[in-house]
Amino acid sequence: MSNSRITRLLHLENDDAYHAMSMPIYQVSTFDQHNSNAFEYSRVQNPTRRYLEAQLAILDEAHAAFAVSSGLSALNIVLSMLKAGDELIVGCDFYAGLSFILEEMCQDRGIVIRQIDLQEPHNLTQAISAKTKMVLCETVSNPLQKIAPIADLAKITQACNICLVVDNSLMSSYGFMPLKFGADIALQSSTKYLVGHADVTSGVIATNTRFKEKIAKIIRQTGYALDPFQAWLLSRSLKTVHLRMAEVTKNAAAVYALLKASKCFKSIYYVGDLTQKHAHWLSENCESLGGLLAVECFNQAQFEQFYQKLKSYFPKTVSFGAVHSSLSHPASMSHKDVQKLQQIQLQVSPWLLRLSIGCEVLADTLTIFQEFIDEYNQTPKAAKAEKTENTEEKQGCKKSINQY
Ligand SMILES: *Cc1c(COP(=O)(O)O)cnc(C)c1O
């Protein structure tokens, strides 16, 4: 039997002249080609990046993987394969940072965008037309953790010869392998779990298909490739990705169990919540679930109490997936400029906090939540306010959170 992905990744040899045990950083832009044509120019290819890309291909079990400057550039590269008149189908709650590319760059180029709920495969069957060229979905959406049934969607796109692109950032290629379930292109923001230390912005595109040559050409000719130093940092991070993912998955599951059992919250969105659609399928087919949770409070008073409690332990950051825990407030951060395409994202509650659970000692993390639960349960009923929604209060909150 061949070794598992991680063992192959750890044993991957490099061709360094001195047999260095870590692939050196080839901090160089251009190569003397009198004696070798292996490399010419680092925008085209570089030894450190080539090594990283071999590691990334192992993780995604792909024929080819490309390391680029960010998750958004990975998306932009793939979307730039579309031409005027082509139709692109996207999910309802796609990554908020993609709005500009979709609404200005793609639409200005004459690409028609249709937005449907991709949790239901029959919606896709109905939406496809002769002009549909690409479907873009997220394995798990952010922050509401909706799961796309990739295998079912792939059956439909394959039958119609349409390219299925999966943004796998919330799972990472260690956690889940979209290509194995029929996706044509798996991409991710490796800024998140693969890097895992909040110190490199980068993206990955993996594929087994004919798109390989086209993607390689776009990267070469438009200058999206990851630079040697960042490539080295990402390469280094990959050697411990399985340890970090196992830890955050365990920690997030424990936080979810505690919060759920407390019955103190309106909703908790978590990919491991087996009552949600496609969660069984994903749990059975993934290596790890990752560390994201989104917790929705009942009202402003509870939200403030919760936020004040978490503040000292959880830095407030965009992004997620680092070894340290962090929180974000989607309504005032990632989702503050909701554009017309993102109708479902309008429903992100102002009392929703997204938590990225890290690798701190679990007992310490749980203590923060247990303290909140105890304090909340002791709060007099009147001070808790009604456990009902109040729209005016919700809108007010959108503004007030910026003052925190
Ligand atoms: C973060 C993220 C991106 C963008 O990645 P960057 O590395 O920040 O450019 C794209 N898609 C999803 C789902 C993300 O979470």
Side-chain angles (χ1 to χ4, degrees):
M1 213 184 91
S2 68
N3 284 329
S4 63
R5 290 183 295 159
I6 291 298
T7 305
R8 279 185 279 142
L9 191 153
L10 293 175
H11 289 181
L12 183 66
E13 288 176 7
N14 66 58
D15 51 9
D16 174 62
Y18 300 104
H19 305 282
M21 282 303 293
S22 156
M23 182 64 184
I25 309 169
Y26 282 83
Q27 190 64 48
V28 53
S29 60
T30 194
F31 298 81
D32 178 3
Q33 295 178 58
H34 281 309
N35 298 313
S36 162
N37 280 321
F39 294 94
E40 53 195 69
Y41 193 50
S42 286
R43 168 157 56 68
V44 177
Q45 192 48 294
N46 169 285
T48 311
R49 190 169 88 243
R50 188 177 68 174
Y51 182 80
L52 165 67
E53 292 181 339
Q55 291 178 300
L56 292 168
I58 291 173
L59 271 188
D60 252 310
E61 296 200 334
H63 293 163
F66 303 96
V68 296
S69 58
S70 70
L72 263 189
S73 48
L75 282 158
N76 200 27
I77 289 161
V78 168
L79 292 170
S80 69
M81 296 195 291
L82 294 170
K83 298 188 183 68
D86 289 349
E87 278 181 15
L88 165 71
I89 294 177
V90 295
C92 278
D93 51 349
F94 58 80
Y95 174 64
L98 187 58
S99 303
F100 172 76
I101 295 179
L102 290 183
E103 294 180 15
E104 302 199 27
M105 298 174 72
C106 288
Q107 282 184 339
D108 286 357
R109 234 165 56 226
I111 293 156
V112 178
I113 298 168
R114 289 169 172 236
Q115 197 177 13
I116 61 170
D117 181 357
L118 286 170
Q119 282 189 290
E120 293 299 339
H122 74 260
N123 289 344
L124 179 59
T125 312
Q126 283 172 355
I128 285 173
S129 81
K131 290 183 175 163
T132 309
K133 290 283 149 47
M134 190 179 279
V135 175
L136 170 63
C137 70
E138 296 180 22
T139 318
V140 178
S141 76
N142 174 31
L144 298 181
Q145 309 263 298
K146 296 210 171 105
I147 299 165
I150 310 284
D152 297 335
L153 299 176
K155 278 184 203 128
I156 300 167
T157 53
Q158 279 168 0
C160 304
N161 201 21
I162 293 167
C163 176
L164 177 62
V165 181
V166 175
D167 181 337
N168 194 34
S169 303
L170 269 75
M171 296 296 288
S172 86
S173 48
Y174 174 70
F176 178 77
M177 289 180 279
L179 302 182
K180 210 167 134 180
F181 298 92
D184 297 292
I185 296 172
L187 56 82
Q188 67 192 304
S189 164
S190 41
T191 311
K192 319 288 166 57
Y193 287 115
L194 294 191
V195 163
H197 295 75
D199 50 13
V200 176
T201 306
S202 56
V204 179
I205 307 172
T207 184
N208 293 330
T209 62
R210 62 193 158 89
F211 300 111
K212 187 169 82 180
E213 305 303 332
K214 181 78 179 175
I215 292 167
K217 187 166 180 186
I218 297 173
I219 294 170
R220 241 184 359 253
Q221 304 297 105
T222 59
Y224 276 114
L226 196 61
D227 72 70
F229 182 55
Q230 317 258 14
W232 181 81
L233 281 168
L234 174 52
S235 166
R236 186 180 199 273
S237 287
L238 292 183
K239 296 173 189 176
T240 53
V241 66
H242 56 305
L243 305 175
R244 288 182 280 106
M245 285 300 275
E247 196 68 8
V248 301
T249 299
K250 178 197 78 179
N251 291 352
V255 169
Y256 173 72
L258 177 68
L259 298 184
K260 184 91 191 154
S262 77
K263 298 196 166 62
C264 284
F265 299 95
K266 180 158 187 268
S267 309
I268 306 168
Y269 302 93
Y270 174 54
V271 72
D273 168 5
L274 293 177
T275 62
Q276 72 152 318
K277 261 187 216 164
H278 314 303
H280 273 284
W281 171 78
L282 188 64
S283 293
E284 281 159 17
N285 290 293
C286 74
E287 190 74 39
S288 68
L289 289 170
L292 275 191
L293 294 170
V295 181
E296 187 174 341
C297 293
F298 284 106
N299 51 44
Q300 178 76 7
Q302 186 193 19
F303 173 80
E304 275 172 22
Q305 196 179 343
F306 190 46
Y307 180 78
Q308 291 304 334
K309 184 80 217 173
L310 298 188
K311 220 172 145 183
S312 60
Y313 197 84
F314 287 79
K316 178 177 157 186
T317 70
V318 294
S319 199
F320 57 86
V323 284
H324 58 77
S325 294
S326 65
L327 66 76
S328 84
H329 179 244
S332 67
M333 296 166 74
S334 54
H335 292 66
K336 82 170 177 289
D337 299 315
V338 174
Q339 313 265 330
K340 56 185 182 298
L341 268 174
Q342 298 169 294
Q343 276 142 24
I344 289 211
Q345 277 159 350
L346 281 172
Q347 292 165 15
V348 169
S349 162
W351 303 320
L352 185 87
L353 278 184
R354 187 192 69 187
L355 307 175
S356 172
I357 306 296
C359 293
E360 293 91 346
V361 172
L362 178 58
D364 295 337
T365 306
L366 291 178
T367 300
I368 298 290
F369 291 104
Q370 189 60 57
E371 281 175 13
F372 171 78
I373 292 164
D374 294 344
E375 286 161 22
Y376 183 70
N377 285 332
Q378 281 157 20
T379 310
K381 260 218 166 93
K384 272 191 200 167
E386 284 296 295
K387 280 191 176 182
T388 51
E389 295 212 8
N390 174 333
T391 320
E392 267 172 42
E393 196 183 81
K394 257 192 173 179
Q395 279 160 359
C397 175
K398 250 192 174 169
K399 289 178 202 130
S400 66
I401 183 86
N402 292 322
Q403 296 155 10
Y404 289 133

